[in-house]
Amino acid sequence: MLFVLGALTPFAAMAADIYIGMLSAHEGSLRLTRCSIGKPIYQLLSQEGRPLAEWPGLSPQALEEQAKTSARILGEFTERDGKPALQVERIDAIRSGESCHLEDWLDEPVKAGPGQQ
């Protein structure tokens, strides 16, 4: 059964991993700050290796204004100019106003629920 599933999966997708993090724009290119210890930053690249400047469903203006935008990326790790990068196959689960970084959650004021003060 696993052989059949493996045979149906395109070879390009087999090398891809899922990266969850916060999107931003820097010098005209999209970046992902991963939600993990050390918060590594990856430049996002097209499948052809060119820097991604936009993606459907993303507002470049909001990213430039440092709005919190989280996303899940299916991509393959690579390097560009000696720095970490991701060749992007897909970006989904795009959420504006949400952060996946613990310190962002700790900085938010606690909202009192019904019956709490």
Side-chain angles (χ1 to χ4, degrees):
M1 180 69 170
L2 289 178
F3 173 75
V4 172
L5 290 175
L8 296 175
T9 305
F11 290 111
M14 292 179 78
D17 285 316
I18 295 174
Y19 298 82
I20 298 172
M22 302 301 295
L23 294 170
S24 62
H26 180 72
E27 297 177 355
S29 176
L30 295 175
R31 302 267 195 269
L32 178 81
T33 302
R34 194 164 184 189
C35 292
S36 63
I37 294 176
K39 298 194 301 188
I41 299 173
Y42 304 90
Q43 181 179 23
L44 302 184
L45 307 174
S46 68
Q47 287 294 297
E48 297 77 29
R50 291 187 303 272
L52 283 177
E54 57 185 22
W55 190 270
L58 285 177
S59 165
Q61 180 183 8
L63 294 177
E64 289 172 5
E65 294 172 359
Q66 304 299 318
K68 293 178 182 175
T69 304
S70 64
R72 178 177 54 206
I73 294 179
L74 179 65
E76 185 176 342
F77 177 83
T78 187
E79 287 189 359
R80 183 176 174 94
D81 300 325
K83 295 181 180 177
L86 298 175
Q87 278 189 291
V88 176
E89 290 184 28
R90 185 175 70 224
I91 300 176
D92 61 13
I94 300 168
R95 294 193 177 32
S96 294
E98 291 185 16
S99 177
C100 59
H101 293 295
L102 180 60
E103 64 269 11
D104 289 337
W105 289 42
L106 295 175
D107 287 343
E108 289 183 12
V110 177
K111 296 177 185 170
Q116 297 178 342
Q117 293 189 23

